[in-house]
Amino acid sequence: MIGERTERREDARLTSGRGRYLADHDVPGLAHVAILRSTSAHAVIRGIDVSGATALPGVIAVVTQADLDRAGARPMTHRLPLLGVLPLEWGLLARDRARFVGEPIAAVVAATRSIAEDAMELIVIDEEQLPAVVDPFVALAPGAPLLYSEWGTNEFFRMTSLPPVLGDVLATAPYVKQFRLTDHRIAALPLEGHGVQAAPDPATGTLHVYASNQQPHQLRTVIAETCGLDEQSVRVVAPDMGGGFGNKQHFTREECLTAMLALITGRPVRWIQDRTEGLISSIHSREQVHDVTVGYDDSGKVLAYRVDVTANVGNPILYFSGIGPAIVTVGALEGGYDFGVVGFDLRCVATNTCPIGAYRGFGQPQAHFSSERTLDAIAVDLGLDPIDVRRRNLLPDGPRPWITGGGARIDVGPLGPHLDALVTEFGYGRWRDLQSEARADGRLVGIGVSALVQGTAPTQYGVAGRFGSYESAAVAVLPDGRVTVAVGTKSQGQGHETTLAQVAADVFGVGVDRVTVTDGDTAQLPYGMGTWGSRTAVMAGGAVLRAATQLREKMDRIAAGMQTASAEPPTFSEIAEEAWWQTHRLPADEEPGLQQTVVYTPGNTMPVPDEHGHMNFDETFAAHMTAVAVEVDPETGDVRVLDAVLVSDCGVVINPMVVEGQHQGGFAQGLGAVLFEEVRYDDDGQPLTSTLVDYTIPEAPDVPRLRVVQRETPSAVAGGFRGVGEASIIATPAVIAGAVADALAPLGVEITSTRLHAHYLRRAIRAAGYTPDASAFASR
Amino acid sequence: MKPAPFDYVRCANVPEAIAALSGDEGAKVIAGGQSLVPLMAMRLARPTLLVDVNDVGLDGITVERDVIRIGACTRHRRLERDPVIARVAPLLQEAAGLIGYPAIRTRGTIGGSLVHADPVAELPTVLVAAGGFVVVRSGAGTRVIAAVDLFTGFLDTTLEHDEIVEDVLLPVAGTRHGSSFCEWSPREGDFATAGVALAIERDDDGRCVALGAAACGLASVPLDCSTLLAAVLGETSASGALLRQIARVMRADLAGDPDRADLVGLLAARAVHRAFARSDERSAAAA
């Protein structure tokens, strides 16, 4: 039932080796794909000699873009419905130019993956190296190597919103600060990498695709387009998934390529991404530089806020590309604050690096990092408490929805009480006392706070063309009284088989064990939007709620007319039997059976300007307040989290345990992002983090428990739900940075980057003139 | 991430293994495989033949008066948990427990780690600090190689292609012995960014009379730091002044990346502090 800590029903399968992931779908005659990738960051491909590879025993096909052209493959494009994006189409393989290390150049289909990899080594590429550019500012400078010479620039996209009054307010503000903030590049790294398996069905002429993808219906659309098939000729099934995190949100070259390889060879083929492919070529995220100008008064109230965003989008050959998250960044600059006049100048810059794209949080962590660093800087400058500075800038507690200048309809509950709850639950005053004691002791303890208002369940029409704000659900009550639910979203491990079952069970008043939830199969529903953008509880939850409610009402009508032997009302199962098997007894205007398909939208979003010029991208908003205390070891740079509390208001909570899990997981990823992970390249565009020895993610001992305090302000959408999946990954980098900055303030170290890894902090601490104390260190 | 094609032979004894190695220039010995197999999967190592020595009888621990003899195939996990090792080679015991994770330690072997010669690995550093030896055998017979003569560079040793490590020899710790392996890595179980292995012996008056130390993370081989730490000789305790001096000297005198030199200095100070503390405990227990 809604609100209960129902144990996750999928876990019995997923934790005992009975899950079926992409690689668990062997079929007779299955062939295996290996993809030859560019080892050059930038090169002209003059020729590809595949003769040696083709001759290797066990090799079925070696395919280049020329072969794909002959087979009728069509180019991909970013599908951005934006003015001013430079034109860009790309093949499923590089045709005559490689623009990042890891770009696919040729594919081998063989009896085994080992043979395919042996054959890959026999492919000879005749290429001419070109100068590469890795840094976006270098890429923008005159004379920089151009990725696409026809553009005449590497500036793929620019979007500016600088209200004329912005300059005036900044000029007259009592205080003005300018600083540069940097968000470094990371990778989402789902535990199960990408994978796809495609098999042509000779009987029907259709193509059956398994893909570890968050949006199977849209993948079907893109595969149909690139392979030249009708949409109904492609069935996509997303099986059990070991994570997605946005990394499996894009529709990739590899997914379409594998489909084409099945068509070309006429047999089932499978490609499983290996970890190095995952790290160098499967979508990076976050890399942005923010040049912030903020004007404020002596109470700490922000009067004007300008952020010039330079977003490295890599080689942007990706559906919606890195522009998508970058646009979300500039749309989320204020978050839950009123910053007076806000402006931005966004430049999306192509470089010879892996494409930048989605990762849980999708542009919002960068916006939040900047707003929180800015408020902390104001607090330090004016000698104010960072909590007070946030209070002065938070949106007023009413009215709701609060309609921003741009038209966002922010429907969160009152923010002040959430902040009060944070102060109490975290023990803010006590932590400040402990901090004073620690400082007197020479220890570096710091406290960070963050106040996040996050748009959830968005329409991404504006940044992805086809990502509308609706969801499909088909609910049926079978003759034996069992309930089936099919949805167009796709669980990647979030527990949807439990939470969506709770929603249906709640409506029907039956046990959760009577409800079976399935997802990820395009054969089940005409269309669906998949899982991303903190949307499933709101969108699929709402769709299930609607469909189940309509069925429940029908069952009540049928029950009213039923004759039972006893005086007892008919049972749930008896009504179901009646609806399916005693149809002659149903009321005259009642259709037989119990099944209902709903395509649901809350209807709050508007991705293009309305008559007032307003746009609202989110169906509903959620509020999350976070505080952490950390201690930094000045000798090693290690950051230890002493306490972490998150006050969560995601509306009506379907399952508190699942919400806690979402927050704990996002906390782990957010912590990993700033303390351990970084995608690095050398100046020539060679990746330096191509294995998990170099790309270090947090492990169990590195992630403390996040204390979650749940508060419920129901939203006005169906069920009163709000999205929750991305909150803690957005908040965590900002709040950890705030705490580290606070800890290091006595040493004069300033934190202006998300790079809080021990080795960076160590260098910053030394650069600030701190001399390590070997004696103290030795006895610790 | 599949290895290039290779052959495999599982040998029953050392002569068989040596014969297999001699017969194929591309052959490579495999025991625990914890370093070799990942390198093969990435095709950075491409042996044509794997010579499996797990069954040749090279595991075991024997104490011979003042020398401890450890069979090359002895697993890290045994070094970590064996009470004899804890008593006679506590530095080795501590270092073994810092290698990777339990699954890695259960498979990985001391001989394998030494001949793999990763400059940030724990066991080569211990061998240098402790002044140990390896006993190697080929068709021509056996020879003994001192630690400082074994390591020549990144993943490189003075072993000939057809030589197999049979045993590792380490000195038995004295009654007032104290040791410590201190390392820093971003995460538990990672290869160390920097580390220091240190062992001291003290006389009846508590004076440090012998010292061996080595650092990893600074060079392509474990670096012998005994001379840099000479200030510890003659000391009866790890005073704050001594520890600060150690860190200062090492930071100033060590070549290479200054950040790592800085860490090595700090870790050396910590190792000295702990070695004296452990020596005190050992002396008290012996008394």
Side-chain angles (χ1 to χ4, degrees):
Chain A
M1 300 296 176
I2 287 175
E4 286 181 4
R5 305 178 79 88
T6 307
E7 287 190 8
R8 287 170 34 123
R9 307 162 75 211
E10 47 271 76
D11 285 355
R13 175 176 88 250
L14 298 179
T15 59
S16 65
R18 285 178 288 145
R20 288 190 79 203
Y21 296 91
L22 198 277
D24 299 322
H25 290 82
D26 282 356
V27 291
L30 181 67
H32 298 265
V33 177
I35 297 173
L36 179 69
R37 295 175 183 277
S38 177
T39 54
S40 304
H42 202 182
V44 171
I45 300 168
R46 290 209 197 93
I48 306 171
D49 179 359
V50 301
S51 55
T54 309
L56 191 73
V59 170
I60 295 158
V62 183
V63 171
T64 64
Q65 183 58 37
D67 301 310
L68 294 172
D69 289 339
R70 275 192 291 277
R74 297 174 187 178
M76 303 182 81
T77 181
H78 46 66
R79 297 273 170 206
L80 286 156
L82 292 162
L83 292 175
V85 184
L86 293 175
L88 183 59
E89 282 189 343
W90 59 92
L92 305 181
L93 294 164
R95 184 175 273 106
D96 49 18
R97 188 123 161 216
R99 293 181 176 87
F100 70 98
V101 173
E103 180 149 16
I105 293 178
V108 180
V109 184
T112 68
R113 173 72 177 238
S114 292
I115 294 172
E117 291 190 18
D118 293 345
M120 223 160 63
E121 296 186 324
L122 302 174
I123 297 173
V124 181
I125 298 173
D126 175 17
E127 65 173 27
E128 179 196 339
Q129 300 274 336
L130 298 173
V133 63
V134 173
D135 180 280
F137 293 101
V138 174
L140 288 173
L146 295 178
L147 270 76
Y148 298 89
S149 48
E150 62 272 28
W151 293 352
T153 175
N154 288 315
E155 190 181 276
F156 183 39
F157 178 65
R158 184 167 193 164
M159 187 163 89
T160 303
S161 170
L162 294 169
V165 69
L166 180 68
D168 301 338
V169 178
L170 282 172
T172 55
Y175 304 90
V176 174
K177 258 189 187 299
Q178 278 190 305
F179 41 87
R180 171 169 283 190
L181 299 171
T182 305
D183 296 86
H184 69 275
R185 179 181 287 232
I186 54 177
L189 205 85
L191 188 58
E192 180 199 26
H194 289 228
V196 58
Q197 177 172 323
D201 181 345
T204 59
T206 59
L207 189 66
H208 189 164
V209 179
Y210 288 99
S212 193
N213 190 292
Q214 298 170 222
Q215 296 172 265
H217 282 95
Q218 277 137 321
L219 178 61
R220 180 184 69 184
T221 300
V222 175
I223 286 177
E225 285 173 346
T226 52
C227 296
L229 298 170
D230 300 330
E231 199 146 347
Q232 52 81 25
S233 299
V234 182
R235 178 181 175 190
V236 175
V237 173
D240 282 335
M241 286 173 69
F245 309 113
N247 196 272
K248 296 178 184 171
Q249 182 181 9
H250 300 270
F251 316 112
T252 62
R253 281 173 149 176
E254 288 87 346
E255 284 162 324
C256 299
L257 171 65
T258 305
M260 278 304 299
L261 294 174
L263 295 173
I264 289 170
T265 62
R267 57 191 296 169
V269 298
R270 178 198 288 164
W271 170 74
I272 299 285
Q273 179 191 68
D274 70 31
R275 195 56 82 187
T276 293
E277 289 181 292
L279 280 166
I280 68 171
S281 65
S282 119
I283 305 161
H284 296 158
S285 294
R286 301 287 198 257
E287 185 180 344
Q288 293 180 359
V289 172
H290 290 194
D291 287 300
V292 177
T293 310
V294 59
Y296 49 101
D297 66 19
D298 52 16
S299 76
K301 175 79 183 70
V302 175
L303 307 172
Y305 185 55
R306 171 179 174 160
V307 185
D308 292 352
V309 177
T310 306
N312 186 346
V313 294
N315 179 22
I317 42 93
L318 193 64
Y319 194 100
F320 71 71
S321 81
I323 292 178
I327 287 180
V328 169
T329 298
V330 295
L333 289 172
E334 275 183 289
Y337 302 112
D338 175 4
F339 281 168
V341 190
V342 177
F344 63 82
D345 181 6
L346 167 66
R347 291 178 300 175
C348 294
V349 187
T351 61
N352 294 109
T353 59
C354 176
I356 290 276
Y359 178 13
R360 190 178 187 184
F362 202 87
Q364 296 168 91
Q366 300 96 312
H368 192 61
F369 180 75
S370 288
S371 67
E372 302 308 294
R373 293 309 307 127
T374 298
L375 293 177
D376 285 344
I378 292 171
V380 168
D381 187 38
L382 300 176
L384 299 173
D385 189 288
I387 293 270
D388 294 335
V389 172
R390 280 168 179 78
R391 270 190 215 286
R392 291 202 182 109
N393 287 282
L394 280 177
L395 296 180
D397 287 346
R400 292 292 183 268
W402 178 269
I403 299 173
T404 67
R409 304 173 65 83
I410 298 179
D411 64 344
V412 290
L415 298 172
H418 290 332
L419 203 50
D420 294 340
L422 180 73
V423 167
T424 307
E425 297 287 347
F426 177 64
Y428 186 76
R430 182 180 142 269
W431 268 114
R432 285 291 176 207
D433 292 343
L434 290 172
Q435 180 186 34
S436 300
E437 290 168 25
R439 279 188 179 165
D441 233 11
R443 287 166 48 223
L444 301 172
V445 170
I447 295 160
V449 291
S450 128
L452 171 68
V453 168
Q454 182 212 342
T456 70
T459 170
Q460 296 287 43
Y461 172 83
V463 296
R466 293 156 166 169
F467 290 18
S469 187
Y470 64 84
E471 196 46 76
S472 307
V475 178
V477 181
L478 304 186
D480 67 353
R482 299 280 161 171
V483 179
T484 61
V485 174
V487 286
T489 51
K490 175 60 210 170
S491 181
Q492 304 127 45
Q494 295 97 328
H496 297 168
E497 286 169 54
T498 305
T499 50
L500 295 177
Q502 285 180 259
V503 172
D506 195 76
V507 173
F508 289 122
V510 300
V512 172
D513 57 354
R514 278 198 182 228
V515 186
T516 304
V517 176
T518 52
D519 64 6
D521 185 349
T522 60
Q524 285 189 320
L525 291 164
Y527 220 75
M529 279 292 141
T531 289
W532 46 274
S534 303
R535 73 188 300 276
T536 298
V538 174
M539 306 303 294
V544 171
L545 190 71
R546 282 278 174 91
T549 302
Q550 288 170 22
L551 281 183
R552 175 74 252 183
E553 287 165 3
K554 180 174 181 178
M555 292 176 80
D556 289 345
R557 291 194 302 271
I558 292 170
M562 281 173 71
Q563 306 287 323
T564 50
S566 66
E568 297 293 313
T571 65
F572 191 75
S573 302
E574 284 166 350
I575 304 169
E577 278 183 34
E578 188 86 357
W580 289 107
W581 290 338
Q582 313 296 342
T583 56
H584 58 285
R585 298 204 300 234
L586 297 180
D589 54 349
E590 206 70 81
E591 287 175 1
L594 292 171
Q595 67 90 22
Q596 187 65 43
T597 300
V598 160
V599 183
Y600 165 72
T601 178
N604 296 331
T605 53
M606 180 46 68
V608 294
D610 67 9
E611 65 271 28
H612 308 293
H614 281 176
M615 294 185 282
N616 177 42
F617 298 104
D618 301 286
E619 295 296 351
T620 183
F621 290 72
H624 289 87
M625 309 281 167
T626 314
V628 299
V630 304
E631 177 164 1
V632 182
D633 181 332
E635 273 69 40
T636 62
D638 283 322
V639 175
R640 189 158 64 94
V641 176
L642 306 174
D643 194 11
V645 173
L646 179 144
V647 173
S648 168
D649 182 3
C650 57
V652 170
V653 171
I654 299 171
N655 184 326
M657 184 183 69
V658 168
V659 166
E660 285 164 9
Q662 284 288 329
H663 287 318
Q664 183 68 42
F667 183 61
Q669 288 180 308
L671 200 71
V674 295
L675 298 186
F676 299 101
E677 301 174 33
E678 182 178 19
V679 171
R680 288 180 290 118
Y681 283 93
D682 72 10
D683 292 341
D684 299 322
Q686 288 295 325
L688 301 175
T689 46
S690 59
T691 75
L692 291 178
V693 172
D694 307 304
Y695 190 81
T696 48
I697 56 170
E699 294 171 347
D702 306 309
V703 184
R705 179 69 72 181
L706 173 72
R707 294 197 280 136
V708 176
V709 179
Q710 304 199 19
R711 294 165 62 84
E712 275 195 22
T713 310
S715 73
V717 308
F721 309 135
R722 303 173 187 275
V724 73
E726 296 164 291
S728 63
I729 199 174
I730 299 169
T732 302
V735 78
I736 297 288
V740 168
D742 189 40
L744 297 183
L747 303 184
V749 174
E750 289 193 4
I751 299 298
T752 56
S753 156
T754 50
R755 292 186 179 95
L756 307 176
H757 313 57
H759 62 101
Y760 287 120
L761 292 186
R762 216 157 51 225
R763 285 176 174 86
I765 289 166
R766 302 294 188 274
Y770 174 82
T771 308
D773 183 345
S775 178
F777 176 79
S779 54
R780 269 206 291 277
Chain B
M1 234 178 247
K2 304 288 179 198
F6 62 91
D7 288 325
Y8 170 87
V9 58
R10 194 172 181 100
C11 299
N13 52 56
V14 173
E16 242 181 56
I18 290 169
L21 277 178
S22 308
D24 186 339
E25 290 218 335
K28 192 98 181 147
V29 173
I30 187 164
Q34 297 302 293
S35 299
L36 181 58
V37 170
L39 289 178
M40 288 172 63
M42 289 187 273
R43 300 196 175 205
L44 295 172
R46 309 175 68 109
T48 49
L49 171 69
L50 284 186
V51 179
D52 188 326
V53 296
N54 281 293
D55 290 347
V56 304
L58 283 181
D59 53 334
I61 296 165
T62 47
V63 180
E64 301 160 357
R65 274 195 298 228
D66 51 355
V67 170
I68 177 164
R69 178 181 292 268
I70 302 165
C73 271
T74 307
R75 314 282 163 181
H76 307 322
R77 196 68 168 153
R78 171 132 187 230
L79 303 176
E80 183 188 353
R81 296 164 74 103
D82 192 298
V84 174
I85 295 290
R87 192 179 73 248
V88 303
L91 178 62
L92 179 65
Q93 186 224 359
E94 183 181 16
L98 295 171
I99 299 170
Y101 309 95
I104 291 172
R105 299 200 287 272
T106 301
R107 293 292 305 163
T109 65
I110 185 170
S113 176
L114 293 176
V115 299
H116 185 61
D118 192 319
V120 292
E122 285 85 359
L123 297 189
T125 313
V126 168
L127 196 74
V128 171
F133 300 85
V134 291
V135 181
V136 302
R137 178 181 292 275
S138 68
T142 63
R143 64 179 179 127
V144 175
I145 309 172
V148 287
D149 300 325
L150 179 63
F151 305 108
T152 49
F154 179 74
L155 307 188
D156 200 18
T157 68
T158 49
L159 240 63
E160 298 296 332
H161 171 70
D162 60 348
E163 285 182 320
I164 288 178
V165 176
E166 284 192 318
D167 289 310
V168 179
L169 308 179
L170 290 171
V172 165
T175 51
R176 290 173 164 273
H177 173 92
S179 70
S180 180
F181 197 107
C182 293
E183 64 179 27
W184 183 85
S185 57
R187 302 172 304 177
E188 205 176 300
D190 275 345
F191 285 112
T193 301
V196 173
L198 178 131
I200 59 170
E201 299 291 344
R202 293 159 83 186
D203 66 14
D204 291 345
D205 300 325
R207 269 193 298 273
C208 176
V209 292
L211 174 142
C216 62
L218 282 168
S220 63
V221 295
L223 217 56
D224 186 336
C225 299
S226 308
T227 315
L228 279 174
L229 289 169
V232 178
L233 290 169
E235 294 289 331
T236 55
S237 69
S239 68
L242 175 67
L243 298 177
R244 280 190 285 273
Q245 182 194 350
I246 287 167
R248 198 165 52 240
V249 166
M250 296 196 83
R251 193 165 55 241
D253 290 5
L254 286 169
D257 176 15
D259 178 53
R260 287 174 189 248
D262 187 8
L263 278 177
V264 164
L266 290 166
L267 292 164
R270 180 176 279 175
V272 168
H273 174 84
R274 291 188 181 169
F276 269 95
R278 288 172 187 171
S279 163
D280 288 345
E281 287 169 24
R282 193 178 175 95
S283 306

